[in-house]
C-alpha cells in the first residue's frame, strides 16, 4: 500500500482506495449494465456511479466468516476442499437491499428498477437455496464442493 500511495499521491490514492472498497457494488452495477445493455434504457455512466454510491450506503455490515453465511450469488467463498484443490472463487457481489432499491428509484427508469429487482430476487433465491442445502446435507468438508456444483447447475 505504501508503494501505491507513493506512486499515486494522496489524492489519487484516496480515489483508488474508494474504488477498491466499492468493488462488490460495482460488480452488481456491471451485472445490471450488462442486463440493460441491449434494452431501450441502458444505464448511463452517471446512473452507474449513483447506483454504486447507493449500494455502498446500504451495504449490510460485514458478517464474520462462518459456515452459516449464505452467498448472494452462485459464486461461493470456500476454505475447504475447493481451496485445497486450487479452485479460486470470488466473493459474492454486494447484496441489493430493499432500501437500496427504494433510494435508486428516482435515479433509474422503471425498466431499470425492474431489472435491479430481478437481480435482487436472484440473490435471494440463491441464498435461500444455499440455506436449504446447508440444512439438508451432512456437515463435512465435501459440503462446499457439493453445494457449489448444485448452485452452478
Amino acid at each position: 500500500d505504501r508503494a501505491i500511495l507513493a506512486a499515486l499521491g494522496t489524492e489519487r490514492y484516496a480515489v483508488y482506495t474508494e474504488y477498491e472498497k466499492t468493488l462488490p457494488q460495482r460488480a452488481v452495477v456491471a451485472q445490471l449494465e450488462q442486463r440493460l445493455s441491449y434494452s431501450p434504457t441502458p444505464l448511463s455512466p452517471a446512473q452507474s456511479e449513483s447506483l454504486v454510491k447507493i449500494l455502498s450506503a446500504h451495504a449490510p455490515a460485514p458478517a464474520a466468516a462462518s459456515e452459516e453465511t449464505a452467498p448472494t450469488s452462485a459464486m461461493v467463498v470456500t476454505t475447504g476442499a475447493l481451496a485445497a484443490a486450487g479452485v479460486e472463487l470470488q466473493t459474492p457481489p454486494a447484496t441489493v437491499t430493499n432500501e437500496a432499491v427504494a433510494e435508486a428509484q428516482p435515479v433509474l427508469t422503471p425498466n431499470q428498477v425492474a431489472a435491479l429487482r430481478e437481480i435482487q430476487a436472484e440473490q435471494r433465491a440463491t441464498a435461500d437455496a444455499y440455506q436449504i442445502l446447508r440444512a439438508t446435507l451432512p456437515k463435512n468438508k465435501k459440503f462446499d464442493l457439493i453445494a457449489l456444483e448444485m448452485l452452478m447447475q
Side-chain angles (χ1 to χ4, degrees):
D1 280 347
R2 288 186 207 145
I4 296 171
L5 174 60
L8 295 178
T10 306
E11 284 182 38
R12 293 171 97 190
Y13 182 76
V15 171
Y16 163 77
T17 57
E18 182 59 31
Y19 182 86
E20 193 174 55
K21 281 192 271 186
T22 60
L23 283 176
Q25 291 79 19
R26 291 179 186 284
V28 171
V29 173
Q31 184 181 7
L32 183 62
E33 286 173 334
Q34 177 65 34
R35 197 167 285 197
L36 294 169
S37 64
Y38 294 105
S39 76
T41 56
L43 283 181
S44 70
Q47 286 176 309
S48 295
E49 279 305 309
S50 293
L51 190 53
V52 166
K53 290 176 184 172
I54 291 167
L55 290 172
S56 296
H58 293 284
S66 103
E67 290 182 7
E68 300 305 317
T69 303
T72 55
S73 78
M75 300 300 277
V76 180
V77 177
T78 185
T79 57
L82 290 177
V87 176
E88 183 178 334
L89 301 172
Q90 302 298 314
T91 57
T95 303
V96 179
T97 64
N98 288 334
E99 295 79 14
V101 172
E103 189 174 329
Q105 286 182 351
V107 175
L108 303 176
T109 68
N111 184 48
Q112 293 168 335
V113 171
L116 184 60
R117 286 190 189 279
E118 287 175 8
I119 292 171
Q120 181 186 39
E122 291 165 8
Q123 288 181 345
R124 285 183 180 158
T126 300
D128 290 348
Y130 185 82
Q131 291 293 27
I132 290 168
L133 286 172
R134 180 151 302 280
T136 57
L137 292 175
K139 293 184 179 187
N140 61 37
K141 296 218 181 251
K142 293 182 182 180
F143 172 76
D144 289 330
L145 182 58
I146 294 168
L148 178 65
E149 288 175 3
M150 294 178 82
L151 287 173
M152 296 300 268
Q153 292 180 355

